[in-house]
Amino acid sequence: MILSHASGRARERRHLIRSIAVAAALTLAATACGSGGQAGGSGDGGSTLTVAVWNMAKTPEFKALFDAFQAANPGVKIQPVDILADDYADKVTTMLAGGDSTDVITMKNVTDYSRYSSRGQLTDITDLVKSGDTSKLAGLDAYNVKNAYFALPYRQDFWLLYYNKAYFDKAGVKMPENLTWDEYAKLAQQLTKEEGGKKVYGTYHHTWRSVVQAISAAQTGGDQLGGDYGFFTDQYNLALGLQKAGATLDFGTATAQKSDYKTMFETGATAMLPMGTWYIASILAQKEKGATDVDWALAPMPQRPDGTGVTTFGSPTAFAVNKRAKNADLAKKFVQFAAGKAGADAIAKIGVVPALQSPEITSAYFGIKGMPTDELSKKAFQPDKVVLEMPVSEHTSDVDTILKEEHELIMVGDKTVADGIKSMNERVKNEVLN
Amino acid sequence: MTHVITQPAPSSAPPSAGPRSKRAWRPILIGWSFILPNFVGFALFTLIPMLAAFALAFLDWDSYSTPEWVGLKNFQRLLSDENFHVALRNTLFYAAGHIPLTLIVALGLAMALNRKIRGVQFFRTAAFFPYITSLVAVAVVWNMLFNPTAGPINQALEAIGIAHPPRWVASTDWAMPAVIVTSVWRDMGYYMVLYLAGLQTIPNEYYEAARVDGANAWQRFWSVTLPCLRPTTFFVLVMLTIQSFKVLDLIVVMTDGGPGRSTLVLAQLVYREGITEGHFGYSSAIALVLFVIVLTVTVVQFRLNERRSA
């Protein structure tokens, strides 16, 4: 191609200008992607509140609370930041570390709460606790960090025993009123059977360490942060005994296949299931949908022979305001609403146990369609003592990791109970407490 | 483009200094404008965070409070931190299993699929498929296969008379081998493709000459194929080394570092200390050690390669 010198130069210049313009546009686009800007207002004169939640579609309490809050505050729109339940802790931790500005963060458990609050990632909302009547708010103490509060609980879960009534009837056994762990173990073995080529386990212990450790701590008065874990022994012997007898799904198998306690119970693969009250709403929803026909009822958690009354463990769930929230005032308003009467009414209606407790709310709760109405179920619902699943301190998270690792080793049979407990003692003392 | 960049300035009439320097800058500016979008991305998301991590390793910082200079304290802590020792051992174990096994399997596959057999394209695609499959799906499916009681692997082992087959991911001894097997299966297709490309560059005359000299199949492989594949093998080795030391995703989905700490690797410890526990300084120190290990191994590999090539 032959070009005159002048036109060639003009063309080069045009090329250059065009190239630089394209490059600049691309650069801007690339950096805009990274900035992660988030609109605070909805653009229609109202406000948009962002709330971090998990499995929105399968956790009906969030929708119930959001609808109630939006109805009470016209012009406010709640935008959920939906996260997969299993990844919730990791995702929120990453979000907060990265300076995310989601307004309200749901505190799935108190271990994560202690982590976020001790790092200064949450807004101090002590004024909300001091200004309102919070005396009937169960689980509030768990959020007390050196006399300051960074979250308010809206629901309070505790552990009880779910059981399949049809299997009990078929085996001709009745769920005892005051079940001890020994009786529980015998029942589990008695109810284990093969049915039409399908194994039915007497009970199912989920893989969480709490199933063994938190219940031991609650019923023996043991301290999970103390560095001395001899009080776990009985419960480990029980869990391993059941596993050895084939009366519960083996821990290794449950871990390898990422076993789901809901599937285990709802498909009739287990006759009993120690689990938290949060599961009630889920069963009700599944039965309503016709996804399961499990004939279920509740019993109090089994007790140690020397125990008086019903002692179990539990965990409140709370809402907190992000330190970097875009709409901090509105976020506080939401947190207060959810922990108050209106919030409690909204979630009790769908089978979720609110943190705010009163006789009216409990009776409304048992009036829901599909709830078991027998006396034992009602008794299960009113334990005498609910101990916090894991104490809150700056060491909680580190101790939790060690206890989880050693729990796995005991449950897969890699360490004896005594050796596992010895390792827990040594590691917690050396790696955390010293 | 080439025309614009390479066109020399007319030599007959040397222009003044101003326009000349302007013209000299032009190709540089044009060049930069083309790499700029990519470079900005690289700088923002790779280079700056990397340099920041180096600096963070000498600080105590939780992403909220003011960073505090602690000098070498984070590195001193590494010496006595059992989690770090366990993770380092596990990472080396993983690399020692993953690197040679993937290399051998990939080479074997490439040799087997470098012939004119019926349906070779199908087999090549089948071997490559795991590499483009979702990692989570791979991990979940292999976990099912490795299921200690109901998994087909153990059922097969029991069928051939092994009374107590390994409990795989439910055992501290077998969890890492199970992860290695899965990762070899996943990666073999990618390296097979590299080897296939390498094999196809070997001139057929070499094999013919070897045959004339009376070399058997093994001798041909040892004296012709392997030496000719040396550049490919070197590249595969370097890539595999870097990949092995950085392993994280597969382990998180398959075992999450367990049972106990039996599959905890360095990259996971970096994540746990930094993101989960908020010890960004200490986490960066671990990352820095990981970087130094990978860099050293890679440099050694390059040196050895140079010496052999010389």
Side-chain angles (χ1 to χ4, degrees), chain B residues 18-76:
Chain B
R20 183 195 275 274
S21 68
K22 237 187 200 172
R23 195 168 299 169
W25 272 102
R26 195 168 294 162
I28 297 173
L29 275 178
I30 293 171
W32 270 99
S33 71
F34 276 91
I35 63 158
L36 198 63
N38 210 351
F39 183 75
V40 168
F42 165 75
L44 273 179
F45 301 115
T46 308
L47 190 64
I48 297 173
M50 240 174 84
L51 296 175
F54 287 173
L56 272 178
F58 301 93
L59 302 174
D60 183 11
W61 188 53
D62 63 3
S63 95
Y64 269 74
S65 50
T66 322
E68 188 193 335
W69 180 264
V70 291
L72 292 174
K73 212 172 130 196
N74 286 328
F75 295 95
Q76 281 163 356

Side-chain angles (χ1 to χ4, degrees), chain A residues 116-391:
Chain A
Y116 305 143
S117 59
S118 66
R119 282 190 210 155
Q121 293 172 319
L122 306 175
T123 303
D124 187 336
I125 51 168
T126 314
D127 55 327
L128 294 186
V129 178
K130 299 270 158 74
S131 63
D133 176 18
T134 48
S135 59
K136 286 179 185 160
L137 206 55
L140 180 66
D141 287 349
Y143 298 95
N144 183 337
V145 181
K146 294 176 188 153
N147 287 325
Y149 294 83
F150 300 88
L152 275 186
Y154 68 95
R155 65 181 242 210
Q156 157 74 2
D157 288 296
F158 52 85
W159 281 55
L160 32 69
L161 188 64
Y162 294 79
Y163 68 98
N164 187 320
K165 262 197 313 195
Y167 287 158
F168 273 69
D169 293 345
K170 217 186 225 172
V173 284
K174 207 170 165 280
M175 177 60 89
E177 247 186 64
N178 301 306
L179 188 66
T180 63
W181 286 110
D182 284 345
E183 289 168 331
Y184 165 80
K186 272 186 208 136
L187 266 178
Q189 291 185 39
Q190 198 180 340
L191 292 160
T192 300
K193 59 188 174 179
E194 286 275 335
E195 210 174 60
K198 184 187 154 200
K199 172 133 187 179
V200 173
Y201 293 96
T203 189
Y204 172 67
H205 285 182
H206 199 47
T207 51
W208 300 328
R209 67 171 192 85
S210 287
V211 178
V212 177
Q213 298 180 355
I215 194 66
S216 304
Q219 294 185 349
T220 62
D223 175 11
Q224 291 183 80
L225 299 180
D228 190 357
Y229 299 105
F231 60 89
F232 288 156
T233 309
D234 290 350
Q235 217 58 30
Y236 269 117
N237 287 337
L238 173 98
L240 291 173
L242 285 173
Q243 189 166 294
K244 203 171 164 201
T248 180
L249 184 67
D250 151 75
F251 182 89
T253 307
T255 315
Q257 67 191 31
K258 297 200 186 301
S259 184
D260 179 10
Y261 64 86
K262 294 181 185 180
T263 312
M264 288 295 290
F265 191 67
E266 285 162 29
T267 58
T270 180
M272 294 187 284
L273 169 75
M275 190 47 65
T277 44
W278 61 79
Y279 182 36
I280 295 174
S282 175
I283 304 187
L284 290 175
Q286 290 297 97
K287 285 205 75 156
E288 178 86 27
K289 262 200 282 180
T292 175
D293 58 354
V294 64
D295 182 11
W296 65 292
L298 303 168
M301 266 305 244
Q303 300 294 309
R304 294 174 67 84
D306 52 352
T308 51
V310 174
T311 302
T312 185
F313 71 95
S315 243
T317 310
F319 286 119
V321 178
N322 187 351
K323 188 73 164 264
R324 291 176 167 144
K326 279 242 165 91
N327 305 292
D329 290 336
L330 189 61
K332 279 173 84 170
K333 198 172 169 187
F334 174 78
V335 172
Q336 195 170 26
F337 175 89
K341 173 136 190 346
D345 283 342
I347 60 170
K349 249 189 261 169
I350 55 158
V352 174
V353 189
L356 188 72
Q357 295 184 338
S358 73
E360 304 91 73
I361 290 171
T362 309
S363 72
Y365 193 89
F366 270 88
I368 308 168
K369 189 176 155 241
M371 274 297 285
T373 49
D374 62 298
E375 284 309 306
L376 193 61
S377 293
K378 284 184 183 161
K379 187 186 166 198
F381 212 73
Q382 287 160 325
D384 299 296
K385 194 174 170 195
V386 178
V387 180
L388 188 61
E389 183 167 356
M390 181 74 173

Side-chain angles (χ1 to χ4, degrees), chain A residues 106-123:
Chain A
T106 315
M107 297 289 112
K108 202 160 184 256
N109 57 56
V110 287
T111 312
D112 293 330
Y113 167 76
S114 81
R115 198 182 282 156
Y116 305 143
S117 59
S118 66
R119 282 190 210 155
Q121 293 172 319
L122 306 175
T123 303

Side-chain angles (χ1 to χ4, degrees), chain A residues 5 9, chain B residues 7-15 20 23:
Chain A
H5 206 72
R9 221 186 293 169
Chain B
Q7 188 183 34
S11 56
S12 55
R20 183 195 275 274
R23 195 168 299 169

